[in-house]
Amino acid sequence: MNEHLGGGTPFATQHGVKGLEFTRVLAVVSKGHNLFQIPEMLANFSRRDELVDKELEAFIGARNLFYVACSRAREHLAIHFTTKLEPASLDTLREWVGESRITSLRFDGDTVVGGE
């Protein structure tokens, strides 16, 4: 993406930042790509040892890509999910980062209408 825009953007795909590091990273995670379902990977994390075949392959691919995105930050990492997460996904995140570091926001158009 950076090359496509002539080096004039701080934005990059998760694949494009492999091997790079930044002081601050905002990782934006959606449910849009068929091969890398990060929300689904988070939901399945507690039962990862039970996964087989294509389900395991999808889990590993999403887990590895999530690792690449999150491990680029040297000091500060924020992860923004553009889709509502299942309770199991939130449980995984709570276990990893703690309840106090998770903020849930609800939007109505461009306006924040609630949060937890």
Side-chain angles (χ1 to χ4, degrees):
M1 180 184 298
N2 192 41
E3 284 181 29
H4 177 69
L5 297 173
T9 179
F11 302 104
T13 64
Q14 292 166 334
H15 286 98
V17 295
K18 190 173 183 178
L20 301 175
E21 287 187 330
F22 306 91
T23 302
R24 294 174 186 85
V25 171
L26 169 62
V28 180
V29 179
S30 68
K31 198 172 181 172
H33 197 287
N34 294 359
L35 296 177
F36 304 105
Q37 291 294 324
I38 291 171
E40 187 175 298
M41 178 277 297
L42 293 169
N44 287 327
F45 197 83
S46 65
R47 60 181 212 91
R48 63 193 175 276
D49 294 332
E50 303 166 15
L51 303 176
V52 295
D53 301 327
K54 289 189 182 231
E55 195 176 28
L56 177 60
E57 184 178 325
F59 173 86
I60 290 170
R63 181 202 61 198
N64 292 351
L65 188 61
F66 190 62
Y67 171 81
V68 166
C70 294
S71 64
R72 303 303 92 197
R74 285 189 298 252
E75 295 179 26
H76 303 283
L77 170 67
I79 306 168
H80 174 72
F81 290 89
T82 63
T83 185
K84 184 174 180 168
L85 296 177
E86 297 178 29
S89 298
L90 285 169
D91 288 344
T92 298
L93 289 172
R94 284 184 190 103
E95 183 179 317
W96 289 353
V97 302
E99 181 75 37
S100 67
R101 294 183 176 206
I102 297 173
T103 302
S104 176
L105 301 174
R106 289 184 295 123
F107 290 88
D108 181 13
D110 294 333
T111 306
V112 176
V113 294
E116 301 170 9

